[in-house]
Amino acid sequence: MAKVMTINSGSSSLKFKLYEMPEEKVLCSGNCERIGQLVVKSFIEKGIIKDFNEIKAIGHRIVQGGKYFSASALFNEDTEKKIESLIPLAPLHNAAHLTCFRAFKEALPNCPAIATFDTAFHQTMAPADYTFPIPYELTEKYDIRRYGAHGTSHKYLAQEGLKYLKGVEHPRIISCHIGSGASITAIKDGKCVATSMGLTPLGGIMMGTRTGDMDPSVFNYVVSVTGKSAEEVYQMFNKKSGFLGVSGISNDSRDVLAAAEAGDKHAILANEIFNRRIADFIGQYYVRLGGCDLIIFSAGIGENEPRTRRDVCKLLEEALGVKIDNEINMPIHGKEALISTPDSKIKVAIIPTDEEVMIARDAYEMCVKGK
Ligand code: ADP
């Protein structure tokens, strides 16, 4: 038995969990400002540990691993340098991750740490799936390509989804991680073959405040007609678009759905775009995978919003023969469920995601087991 901590640091806050491994028992979890020392001290104050040395490994979630990492990596000078070099691709996140890593290093100097990358799972994509059709010298010189995001979640979902696919020789899964950030991934034999997010998490489907994919000329046109700077428009596409931008009401799908049900035209349109973009990607990935055995809904909206699941599946029914049981497709918070009917051509499941347990598993495997 060993205690392993996972750290998920955002631009302004930090989420942590302390696990007993390999049992995967969560001893403690919480949110706090980004101060490593306080978190570990609170474990002692609460009597969860007696001594700092009880923590045998720390796993940090890192948003951008670029071309360097196709799996979790032990934190050392080289790993740190690479994460630092990727700050331009994830300015808010990678810089915060490093600050957080250093704070915990100071608090627990002898505890080994690993980095688990949101991009790692997507490194199995083929060049035709990750290369953007810009002049190739730019691709090469600046490593401009699709990296994707939410990889740890998609990997977890791909593994959990297998329980519904007993006897399927080459399982084909389309996982939909749909929260305020959202991405869809096509998975064959447990490996990512395509994913919707691009160079940064701005790409793919429409999100709470992000545009997702659009005709790239929209960017230039908005700059020219508004007189705003490129940076201002980029921020607008990241923070003022999506559900918020189209509805003018909220970035939270719950508010937008409520307004749509009350007849608000912009809210209705926002929902229609959102559902359509999800269905479009599922259709695209159905072709990419040569079929599909399981569609998974996960994350804030995917796990909790029956109306989105119902409306997306309705868009898939005619072409793909997807059918769900609306009695089972209830708001069953935090619970896993198979919601497709027995005669549906593709199984559909709700699977609550768990990125932390994946990080804890890697930290335990790499730092504790076998030592
Ligand atoms: P992220 O991790 O990207 O910040 P989440 O996966 O937590 O996002 O998802 C947040 C979104 O999920 C919210 O904007 C909201 O629209 C939706 N959501 C969260 N909880 C619920 C719920 N209980 N019912 C319906 N929708 C929910």
Side-chain angles (χ1 to χ4, degrees):
M1 283 201 305
K3 293 186 179 65
V4 167
M5 181 153 65
T6 63
I7 309 289
N8 186 346
S9 57
S11 47
S12 61
S13 70
L14 176 157
K15 286 188 251 175
F16 63 88
K17 273 191 183 175
L18 187 67
Y19 285 89
E20 188 79 78
M21 296 298 280
E23 295 79 1
E24 301 183 357
K25 184 176 164 207
V26 178
L27 301 174
C28 178
S29 68
N31 276 293
C32 76
E33 305 262 313
R34 213 185 315 116
I35 307 171
Q37 208 97 29
L38 291 184
V39 175
V40 281
K41 270 192 188 146
S42 79
F43 291 162
I44 292 194
E45 279 156 22
K46 289 185 184 137
I48 296 163
I49 56 168
K50 290 198 187 71
D51 191 293
F52 284 174
N53 293 328
E54 281 178 47
I55 302 174
K56 299 295 182 210
I58 301 181
H60 292 269
R61 174 213 176 199
I62 309 289
V63 162
Q64 181 56 263
K67 63 179 177 184
Y68 301 118
F69 301 101
S70 55
S72 296
L74 216 49
F75 247 111
N76 55 27
E77 217 173 294
D78 181 55
T79 304
E80 244 188 284
K81 257 195 207 136
K82 284 175 176 153
I83 295 171
E84 189 149 27
S85 75
L86 295 165
I87 289 176
L89 276 179
L92 292 180
H93 285 99
N94 271 28
H97 298 324
L98 283 175
T99 309
C100 185
F101 163 72
R102 286 167 190 150
F104 276 93
K105 184 89 197 142
E106 215 174 290
L108 301 171
N110 300 319
C111 182
I114 63 153
T116 299
F117 301 91
D118 272 23
T119 49
F121 182 60
H122 303 307
Q123 284 289 304
T124 47
M125 281 187 285
D129 291 296
Y130 69 68
T131 308
F132 295 125
I134 54 172
Y136 197 72
E137 70 257 26
L138 289 178
T139 300
E140 274 190 316
K141 188 167 175 196
Y142 300 108
D143 296 321
I144 297 170
R145 50 162 285 182
R146 182 185 306 281
Y147 291 108
H150 300 137
T152 311
S153 171
H154 289 292
K155 186 175 176 186
Y156 175 82
L157 298 173
Q159 292 176 1
E160 289 294 304
L162 289 181
K163 65 165 83 86
Y164 298 108
L165 301 175
K166 300 236 159 74
V168 177
E169 214 178 313
H170 296 289
R172 298 158 300 183
I173 296 175
I174 298 175
S175 56
C176 308
H177 177 115
I178 309 178
S180 58
S183 66
I184 301 187
T185 297
I187 300 155
K188 197 171 204 168
D189 289 323
K191 293 200 170 79
C192 167
V193 299
T195 194
S196 62
M197 276 181 170
L199 176 71
T200 73
L202 183 58
I205 64 169
M206 177 188 125
M207 296 168 233
T209 62
R210 295 176 223 157
T211 59
D213 292 352
M214 291 191 297
D215 171 356
S217 64
V218 176
F219 185 86
N220 201 47
Y221 193 67
V222 173
V223 168
S224 79
V225 293
T226 61
K228 289 185 192 295
S229 67
E231 181 57 27
E232 283 171 320
V233 174
Y234 182 62
Q235 292 300 328
M236 181 203 291
F237 285 5
N238 265 292
K239 296 183 180 155
K240 299 247 178 322
S241 301
F243 267 123
L244 176 64
V246 179
S247 71
I249 294 168
S250 169
N251 63 328
D252 191 313
S253 63
R254 285 168 287 194
D255 302 334
V256 182
L257 274 156
E261 286 184 345
D264 184 283
K265 285 204 178 77
H266 292 117
I268 292 170
L269 179 63
N271 273 303
E272 282 178 352
I273 301 173
F274 185 64
N275 296 336
R276 203 172 283 284
R277 297 303 288 131
I278 298 170
D280 286 348
F281 265 100
I282 293 174
Q284 183 184 327
Y285 290 165
Y286 180 91
V287 173
R288 179 65 185 81
L289 290 168
C292 178
D293 305 296
L294 176 68
I295 295 169
I296 301 171
F297 285 100
S298 193
I301 301 172
E303 288 168 31
N304 298 308
E305 190 43 78
R307 290 167 291 185
T308 301
R309 294 191 298 258
R310 177 197 65 199
D311 294 347
V312 168
C313 290
K314 199 78 204 153
L315 292 171
L316 302 172
E317 186 171 346
E318 194 179 346
L320 303 184
V322 169
K323 283 191 207 156
I324 61 167
D325 183 331
N326 282 311
E327 303 246 316
I328 307 173
N329 179 39
M330 303 285 278
I332 29 178
H333 298 294
K335 291 233 175 71
E336 188 167 326
L338 187 71
I339 59 171
S340 46
T341 59
D343 63 336
S344 175
K345 291 218 176 102
I346 304 173
K347 286 183 175 164
V348 182
I350 305 166
I351 302 182
T353 195
D354 192 344
E355 289 152 297
E356 276 81 9
V357 81
M358 297 296 276
I359 300 173
R361 283 174 194 168
D362 279 358
Y364 179 73
E365 286 289 324
M366 293 168 73
C367 302
V368 183
K369 214 174 146 190
K371 286 214 164 166

